[in-house]
Amino acid sequence: MGFPPGVAVRQPEEVSRARRWTRDILRGSPLADDAELIVSELSANAILHTASGRAFGSFHLAVAVSAQVVAVSVTDDGGTGTAPKAEHDQEQDAEHGRGLGMVSAIAHRVVVHGSDHGHTVTAELFTDTRSGGHPC
């Protein structure tokens, strides 16, 4: 599943559209609120911290749903010399660096793939907490 297939998200206002789309896809799921929050953080990070926020930049959103997992992936346009990473030791009043840490605290697993040309951050929420995850 994509957002919608073949369409890139270009404007900061589209973060709210991405949240609504995620909520619609996961309607009735106990993981919908967590997934919506994760989409909001990852999408905003793409716009604020990568070339996705530039005039012709975009980010791509994918939501995959199975009986065992909900996986949310946001791919940015790159343009930074570093990969996204969670900053766990940030001061509470810090304005930057806490979003991916929050995603890591909510999700059961977060994986970052990519290069200078773009990064994909995937957050997975497991539906069955008996598999070693924490409840959402």
Side-chain angles (χ1 to χ4, degrees):
M1 251 178 248
F3 174 76
V7 175
V9 181
R10 289 191 166 75
Q11 301 297 324
E13 305 85 50
E14 294 296 323
V15 172
S16 64
R17 184 173 165 229
R19 285 194 318 261
R20 281 192 309 275
W21 184 76
T22 302
R23 190 174 50 240
D24 289 345
I25 294 295
L26 298 174
R27 182 167 281 128
S29 169
L31 302 175
D33 290 341
D34 288 339
E36 181 182 356
L37 180 59
I38 289 168
V39 164
S40 182
E41 285 299 321
L42 296 181
S43 300
N45 283 349
I47 289 172
L48 291 172
H49 303 297
T50 73
S52 295
R54 295 184 187 146
F56 294 101
S58 64
F59 67 88
H60 298 264
L61 168 63
V63 177
V65 182
S66 75
Q68 295 81 27
V69 67
V70 171
V72 173
S73 298
V74 173
T75 302
D76 63 45
D77 280 346
T80 62
T82 60
K85 65 180 181 215
E87 299 289 342
H88 296 288
D89 297 328
Q90 288 288 322
E91 295 180 26
Q92 276 197 339
D93 295 335
E95 292 184 30
H96 301 290
R98 298 185 327 177
L100 197 51
M102 182 178 66
V103 169
S104 295
I106 294 170
H108 294 99
R109 185 168 78 144
V110 177
V111 179
V112 178
H113 293 283
S115 66
D116 290 342
H117 303 291
H119 297 91
T120 298
V121 180
T122 300
E124 297 176 346
L125 299 166
F126 301 136
T127 58
D128 183 2
T129 59
R130 291 175 295 173
S131 63
H134 60 276
C136 292

